[in-house]
Amino acid sequence: VDLLAYYSDELTGEDLPRDCTEIVSISDLELFKESHCFTRKIQEQTLFDYKLVNEFIFLRDDQLENIVSRYDYIVRTDSDTFITPRVFDWKIPPEIDVIFGWGAYSHSFNIQQLVRIAEELGWNCQGMKNVGSAWMVKPGNFIRLIKKTRDS
């Protein structure tokens, strides 16, 4: 189990775990054998004043597919998510492609926006509500979801 924390130019070294290894280039992935905590800087300023949206800065990593392909499962969470050791006992059932966390996004305005965005993208809106931003998914599906998230 490894931790990978993405950050941008807005953070300083004090904001990051001190015992993590910085992944600067894809060749640094060999360090995965020696460490279980990594950081990766994305070289660009974020464009949003709403800081929580910046938790998706990993979408801009052109090496993300090479990094996640080394794992059996990917768990994507927000920075305020608390994960307990119990997560290690849980596996995605084989018939399920992805598990999403619960979110409080059922306000009628948000639901209408999701329907509108789906229509603009030519997607079918399935009517699901309260889908959170935490994901537990196999790497291939993770990359597929990342591309849809980034490109929408």
Side-chain angles (χ1 to χ4, degrees):
V1 175
D2 295 332
L3 169 70
L4 173 57
Y6 279 87
Y7 68 102
S8 67
D9 294 327
E10 297 173 348
L11 294 179
T12 66
E14 295 176 6
D15 297 316
L16 301 169
R18 294 192 186 341
D19 58 348
C20 290
T21 302
E22 177 76 16
I23 298 175
V24 177
S25 72
I26 199 67
S27 62
D28 293 335
L29 290 175
E30 291 306 312
L31 299 173
F32 273 75
K33 297 175 184 172
E34 302 168 14
S35 180
H36 293 286
C37 182
F38 305 94
T39 57
R40 182 137 165 91
K41 184 175 186 176
I42 301 300
Q43 298 287 343
E44 78 177 45
Q45 289 284 14
T46 55
L47 304 174
F48 306 101
D49 290 331
Y50 180 61
K51 300 298 181 203
L52 294 179
V53 78
N54 296 329
E55 292 179 357
F56 285 91
I57 196 159
F58 69 94
L59 295 172
R60 300 195 183 251
D61 186 355
D62 59 355
Q63 295 300 317
L64 184 63
E65 191 166 355
N66 291 326
I67 294 170
V68 302
S69 66
R70 299 170 178 266
Y71 294 97
D72 295 327
Y73 291 96
I74 306 299
V75 178
R76 197 226 73 76
T77 67
D78 290 337
S79 61
D80 62 351
T81 301
F82 182 78
I83 299 176
T84 69
R86 185 70 185 235
V87 74
F88 299 118
D89 297 332
W90 193 65
K91 301 286 187 237
I92 297 176
E95 68 276 7
I96 297 177
D97 291 331
V98 62
I99 302 292
F100 292 100
W102 183 86
Y105 308 114
S106 61
H107 187 277
S108 60
F109 173 80
N110 294 340
I111 294 168
Q112 291 169 359
Q113 289 296 91
L114 290 173
V115 170
R116 182 188 61 76
I117 291 168
E119 286 174 0
E120 285 179 11
L121 295 171
W123 297 350
N124 293 323
C125 184
Q126 301 298 318
M128 295 179 66
K129 301 174 185 74
N130 297 317
V131 176
S133 64
W135 311 345
M136 185 172 187
V137 60
K138 293 185 178 184
N141 285 330
F142 180 79
I143 294 301
R144 186 175 55 83
L145 287 169
I146 291 302
K147 288 178 180 177
K148 283 197 176 256
T149 302
R150 182 192 61 216
D151 298 341
S152 60

